[in-house]
Amino acid sequence: MEVAEAAEMGIRSVWPECEVVKVAVADGGEGTVEAIMASLGGRSVEITVNDPLMRPLRACYCIAGDVAVMEMSAASGLPLLSPEERDPMSASTFGTGEMILDAVRRGCRRFLIGIGGSATNDGGTGMLSALGVRFLDSEGRVLSGTGENLSSISSIDLSGLDPAVAGSSFTVACDVDTPFCGREGAAAVFAPQKGATPSQVAVLDRGMQSFAELINDVLGTDISAMKGAGAAGGLGGAFHAFLGAELKTGVDMVLDAIAFDRLIAGSDLVITGEGKIDFQTVRGKTAYGVLRRAQRQGIPVAAICGRIEQCPEVENMGFACVDAVSGNLPLETAMRPEVAAANVAHAAETVLKRFL
């Protein structure tokens, strides 16, 4: 919102009576909860859950009516562990399930959940265990939801799944198209970043394949090659198979949640932005999500950014114009709040003059 307010200053310097609508947006990562709650209102809830290594942790999520907005990283995120503690063999998403269960008991029946930044590769078994699902080995022993136990799961007991959870709707922000298992699956692509050795990656992937086959047998849902199923170490696939979740790009989840299409209807110009606009912008970044929504309504979009990378992807993106604000300033200077605000205001002024 600080960026939007700076842009408004530049706009009003050119056209004081212009109608300006400011809205916070995000792409499923940091700031997602804040962006949605800024539009929906609501309140923050802080509870004690288990972190990835099953230690007590205070975690926050938000509630607006019967909607719960949360980020799994608040309970199961990689930043919660020191580099030495990272171990996807033993890390669990149990705490994420505890957040969901708490929200259900407070009356929430709709969930918007960002699943980026996980420390886990448990196929979602930790979360599901917290929600009442039991995973048993060949001798009928209940297994904890961790990566190392995936290969040992021989049966799934759904009888304890909380009915209110089963009856809730879930929309999950999923910004990777990684499948559940295989060469390009969750373990192969992301487990090394979470502390797995090459031999552990192999063990985890075998477990993911075994678990995917069991899910298909029990639920009739094949998530092994499903795009996004491997997000957060398989949590995306678990959400879809067990809870019927819809997997969306993060920015689309946020834009839908705040009724963005309605907010921009009838606008003459949309202004968005990003720190650096480059080839990655088209891969689910906020600015590109905003651009696509505005294009559907025939509204031109201007982008304000810190820097622009000259490449074919940027040239063909479809922005009516792209303005960089940092110029030749040293990065540390350009990122000072007062300098950035002044530069954004000036860029918005330049943009508006171009469209008048």
Side-chain angles (χ1 to χ4, degrees), residues 272-277 302-310 314 321-329 334 339-340 342-348 350-351 354:
T272 186
E274 188 177 355
K276 181 183 179 185
I277 288 187
I304 295 174
C305 62
R307 291 192 176 154
I308 308 169
E309 181 179 278
Q310 299 302 324
V314 171
C321 65
V322 180
D323 272 57
V325 302
S326 59
N328 296 319
L329 289 174
V339 175
N343 285 343
V344 168
H346 178 70
T350 302
V351 164
R354 196 174 299 167

Side-chain angles (χ1 to χ4, degrees), residues 77-332:
L78 192 62
L80 299 175
L81 305 180
S82 68
E84 297 75 23
E85 293 175 326
R86 294 174 183 177
D87 179 12
M89 297 293 286
S90 58
S92 175
T93 53
F94 193 87
T96 296
E98 290 177 304
M99 284 199 300
I100 293 170
L101 198 58
D102 182 81
V104 164
R105 289 172 177 168
R106 294 174 190 263
C108 295
R109 294 298 180 268
R110 291 184 291 159
F111 289 80
L112 304 175
I113 305 179
I115 61 172
S118 76
T120 55
N121 200 118
D122 67 355
T125 55
M127 174 195 73
L128 293 166
S129 295
L131 299 178
V133 180
R134 298 199 312 161
F135 300 96
L136 305 107
D137 66 13
S138 58
E139 296 182 9
R141 293 175 297 202
V142 178
L143 298 168
S144 59
T146 62
E148 64 186 350
N149 284 337
L150 288 171
S151 295
S152 300
I153 300 173
S154 62
S155 63
I156 302 172
D157 178 5
L158 296 168
S159 63
L161 178 61
D162 189 288
V165 173
S168 297
S169 66
F170 293 84
T171 302
V172 173
C174 173
D175 283 331
V176 299
D177 57 7
T178 309
F180 198 73
C181 52
R183 288 185 178 181
E184 298 180 354
V189 175
F190 294 114
Q193 302 170 19
K194 303 172 186 182
T197 64
S199 61
Q200 288 175 328
V201 169
V203 170
L204 288 168
D205 187 58
R206 285 196 297 271
M208 295 287 277
Q209 292 185 36
S210 172
F211 187 43
E213 291 171 5
L214 184 59
I215 289 173
N216 197 22
D217 290 341
V218 174
L219 302 175
T221 303
D222 185 2
I223 59 172
S224 57
M226 178 184 176
K227 289 185 176 181
L235 187 62
F239 264 117
H240 177 75
F242 288 85
L243 302 176
E246 180 183 9
L247 305 185
K248 287 186 174 182
T249 62
V251 66
D252 281 329
M253 184 188 81
V254 173
L255 296 182
D256 286 342
I258 66 176
F260 184 76
D261 294 347
R262 177 178 56 79
L263 289 172
I264 65 170
S267 298
D268 297 296
L269 174 67
V270 169
I271 299 177
T272 186
E274 188 177 355
K276 181 183 179 185
I277 288 187
D278 56 21
F279 70 96
Q280 296 186 72
T281 301
V282 299
R283 299 179 179 176
K285 297 292 188 178
T286 301
Y288 190 64
V290 168
L291 172 66
R292 288 189 295 110
R293 294 299 185 98
Q295 284 177 329
R296 294 175 192 170
Q297 299 188 38
I299 305 170
V301 180
I304 295 174
C305 62
R307 291 192 176 154
I308 308 169
E309 181 179 278
Q310 299 302 324
C311 61
E313 290 88 347
V314 171
E315 293 171 6
N316 299 322
M317 214 168 287
F319 288 112
C321 65
V322 180
D323 272 57
V325 302
S326 59
N328 296 319
L329 289 174
L331 188 59
E332 287 186 4

